[in-house]
Amino acid sequence: MNSSSFLQILEKTYYPGFFTTDKHDLAHFGVDWGGILTPNPLAIVFPKNTEEVSSFLKLCSANNINVVPSGGRTGLSGGATASNGEVVLSVSKINSINEVDVSSLTIRVGAGAVTQNVHERAAKHNLIWPVDFAAKGSSQIGGNIATNAGGVRVIRYGNARSWVLSIKAVLMSGDVIEFNGDLEKNNTGYDLRHLLIGSEGTLAVITEATLKLCPKPENLSVCFFGLEDMHSVVRLFSECRKAFFQISAFECLTDVCLQSSLAFTGLNSPLETKCPIYVLLEFEDQTRQPDQLEAWLSQVFESGLIKDGVLAQSPREFKELWQIRESTPESILTGRVVLQHDVSVPVSKLPDFSRSVLEKYKNDYPDFEVFVFGHIGDGNLHIFIRKPEALDTATFITRCRSSDTDLFDFVKKFTGSVSAEHGIGLLKKHALNYSRQENEVQLMRAIKKAFDPKNLLNPGKIF
Ligand SMILES: Cc1cc2nc3c(=O)[nH]c(=O)nc-3n(C[C@H](O)[C@H](O)[C@H](O)COP(=O)(O)OP(=O)(O)OC[C@H]3O[C@@H](n4cnc5c(N)ncnc54)[C@H](O)[C@@H]3O)c2cc1C
């Protein structure tokens, strides 16, 4: 069916406001934060509930129309991008947030609920949904589930996968399935819920979910340390793991990232000494014995591991230290062409891996601006390459293809993953075979076919 006939069918079938073809809306909803790609959707639809999603997908299936599920579009891999005349299905109007079930510590939400709004609802009961990262003010629960989002507290709580009890989703056929009910225990065959988590919108459209919550940690502290190199960062990490407190975040950023974030936020550097690399450590001290913390801090300073450091002394300082870390990606991305990498290796291999990669960029791509930061406690490094002002975008992208190959060769050598958090989407398709064997990919294709035999849902993503 041609696109204008399908738009006429939509017009006849649905009410005003169900879809838009306004060119600003197409440009806005047609891409995510991955940048680089050009939006070209046919239309954007805004169903208000699961039934409307079901009827719409059935219609698309009957007419062989490709559909891109879309959440907050904060994804960084092009997963929610519609570049080939697809219809974007935004779940943003399915955004209900039910009351917290305080007996089971769960909350039922629409897939379009904004992550931060869910956090705020949970906070009223002194509870948290521990999936937490800088884009939480815009990202949505459906997107968090579809990407198995990680973030700054994975080291303590794990990824989104650990915090999703059940999922309601609609297949391309229009069939509605509640995956797993609200059961903590349910060993009845395959747990298909876990296939949907991290499926990047390729298997089904998530419309609702029951999320697990947990008590808010008490007595959190934040330190910001300056160090010499990644080797010291990993040594500090193992010291922290042996310490009396429980780590809830262990993040790092290089000096160029700190400077970018300070310029963006207008904050002053928290440290007097300029260092090559910094760590933000957040921990929960259940012992509540200040002497113990003081003794631990003195010991790490005396060991020479840390060149400078501060412990937040007030809620404001706590917030500002986090603001520096959380503003880092946005400060690099805003208004510039940036190629983003999101790789992981075993923590013990981080020093050699990062040294090899940075040397390669310095020697072979000396004009690239390279920003390294990330969730060190999870072995996860974000490597953002900003286009030099003097280089045109097409040449930059061509040269990035070559630098990507170099980076992925190192990832493979150090037994890592080409995408720790952001997914494959469109932008990392060429890298999938660095982290997955061919027979694994064949199994993934077979699963995709079972869910979406006509390959209409987010086609071309992942494979
Ligand atoms: C500044 C910044 C910081 C970030 N930090 C982190 C971080 O620390 N950790 C991390 O993991 N990610 C991070 N991200 C990436 C991004 O925020 C996450 O991947 C987030 O979970 C995406 O949610 P979203 O609602 O924006 O999804 P979108 O970008 O809209 O979509 C992402 C994918 O999910 C699919 N999808 C969306 N909604 C649905 C649905 N209802 N049903 C089925 N499929 C759906 C889309 O098709 C797409 O493939 C960051 C992004 C930015 C911009």
Side-chain angles (χ1 to χ4, degrees):
M1 160 164 302
N2 72 34
S3 31
S4 58
S5 316
F6 186 69
L7 291 178
Q8 281 168 10
I9 294 182
L10 280 187
E11 192 113 39
K12 278 192 206 135
T13 314
Y14 294 102
Y15 48 86
F18 180 79
F19 76 99
T20 173
T21 53
D22 174 89
K23 71 174 192 310
H24 299 292
D25 290 335
L26 297 183
H28 181 68
F29 285 94
V31 277
D32 62 13
W33 273 66
I36 297 180
L37 301 163
T38 311
N40 180 31
L42 172 65
I44 320 295
V45 300
F46 300 99
K48 289 195 191 118
N49 51 45
T50 303
E51 293 69 36
E52 287 187 3
V53 173
S54 169
S55 83
F56 174 72
L57 291 185
K58 209 180 276 180
L59 191 67
C60 290
S61 215
N63 292 288
N64 293 321
I65 297 293
N66 292 333
V67 177
V68 175
S70 165
R73 298 176 323 284
T74 65
L76 294 168
S77 66
T81 295
S83 296
N84 292 310
E86 305 94 330
V87 176
V88 172
L89 188 162
S90 166
V91 295
S92 54
K93 289 194 175 165
I94 311 176
N95 57 6
S96 58
I97 303 180
N98 287 5
E99 277 313 315
V100 169
D101 181 336
V102 284
S103 54
S104 59
L105 295 193
T106 58
I107 187 167
R108 182 78 174 178
V109 299
V114 171
T115 314
Q116 187 163 314
N117 295 345
V118 174
H119 286 182
E120 284 166 11
R121 180 64 60 90
K124 287 187 181 159
H125 299 268
N126 223 17
L127 297 169
I128 57 168
W129 190 57
V131 180
D132 192 358
F133 51 92
K136 62 182 172 237
S138 307
S139 78
Q140 300 174 2
I141 296 300
N144 298 162
I145 295 173
T147 56
N148 185 25
V152 292
R153 299 209 167 73
V154 170
I155 187 170
R156 177 162 180 186
Y157 298 101
N159 288 2
R161 185 180 299 288
S162 311
W163 299 94
V164 179
L165 203 52
S166 79
I167 296 173
K168 183 182 270 188
V170 188
L171 305 190
M172 204 54 218
S173 60
D175 284 357
V176 178
I177 303 183
E178 177 82 37
F179 291 91
N180 194 51
D182 279 352
L183 298 170
E184 192 62 60
K185 287 185 157 182
N186 182 13
N187 283 346
T188 49
Y190 305 143
D191 190 342
L192 300 178
R193 158 188 54 156
H194 284 294
L195 273 182
L196 291 201
I197 301 172
S199 61
E200 301 188 48
T202 60
L203 299 182
V205 176
I206 298 161
T207 56
E208 289 179 34
T210 302
L211 308 177
K212 299 202 248 181
L213 306 172
C214 69
K216 189 169 173 234
E218 299 290 338
N219 207 27
L220 283 179
S221 301
V222 167
C223 293
F224 197 84
F225 298 121
L227 300 98
E228 188 57 48
D229 53 21
M230 187 63 84
H231 188 63
S232 313
V233 170
V234 172
R235 276 180 56 211
L236 175 64
F237 180 54
S238 52
E239 287 304 319
C240 292
R241 286 198 130 170
K242 287 185 269 170
F244 62 95
F245 49 73
Q246 176 148 31
I247 307 172
S248 50
F250 192 94
E251 301 282 305
C252 93
L253 58 159
T254 53
D255 187 54
V256 64
C257 297
L258 176 68
Q259 300 313 325
S260 169
S261 181
L262 295 179
F264 186 75
T265 56
L267 293 169
N268 292 321
S269 175
L271 303 182
E272 283 173 10
T273 317
K274 198 172 162 69
C275 299
I277 194 161
Y278 306 90
V279 163
L280 182 150
L281 164 70
E282 184 191 79
F283 58 91
E284 185 181 14
D285 176 7
Q286 280 150 340
T287 67
R288 293 173 186 270
Q289 290 174 8
D291 293 354
Q292 205 172 355
L293 178 58
E294 224 165 86
W296 184 82
L297 284 171
S298 308
Q299 178 221 311
V300 280
F301 269 104
E302 279 159 21
S303 70
L305 203 51
I306 292 165
K307 289 162 69 96
D308 198 357
V310 288
L311 169 69
Q313 299 294 333
S314 65
R316 184 177 155 192
E317 285 181 15
F318 186 103
K319 204 171 144 206
E320 286 182 356
L321 291 179
W322 263 117
Q323 201 184 341
I324 289 171
R325 165 60 188 92
E326 297 232 286
S327 301
T328 299
E330 207 178 339
S331 73
I332 302 164
L333 292 167
T334 302
R336 296 289 297 272
V337 175
V338 178
L339 183 91
Q340 307 136 30
H341 287 295
D342 161 43
V343 299
S344 64
V345 294
V347 175
S348 59
K349 296 183 181 175
L350 272 171
D352 287 343
F353 172 76
S354 61
R355 199 190 48 248
S356 310
V357 168
L358 289 176
E359 269 172 21
K360 188 75 187 167
Y361 279 117
K362 197 170 160 198
N363 293 335
D364 294 8
Y365 311 93
D367 54 336
F368 282 11
E369 286 182 83
V370 181
F371 298 82
V372 177
F373 61 99
H375 317 299
I376 288 302
D378 316 322
N380 181 184
L381 283 184
H382 298 310
I383 303 173
F384 281 17
I385 316 289
R386 196 151 74 178
K387 181 181 84 61
E389 299 270 26
L391 207 61
D392 67 277
T393 303
T395 314
F396 175 63
I397 291 172
T398 308
R399 288 186 59 207
C400 285
R401 288 280 170 230
S402 151
S403 67
D404 278 8
T405 307
D406 293 332
L407 173 67
F408 298 147
D409 283 340
F410 281 122
V411 169
K412 195 162 189 171
K413 181 174 164 200
F414 286 88
T415 62
S417 166
V418 294
S419 177
E421 293 191 322
H422 301 158
I424 294 295
L426 280 176
L427 295 175
K428 295 286 147 43
K429 272 173 72 166
H430 60 299
L432 184 62
N433 65 346
Y434 284 87
S435 293
R436 297 289 192 190
Q437 294 168 214
E438 183 48 33
N439 48 7
E440 264 184 296
V441 176
Q442 288 308 332
L443 279 173
M444 290 190 209
R445 285 185 199 280
I447 290 165
K448 164 75 175 161
K449 204 161 188 180
F451 275 78
D452 176 22
K454 291 164 103 179
N455 191 26
L456 297 173
L457 194 59
N458 227 359
K461 310 291 163 60
I462 304 183
F463 323 103

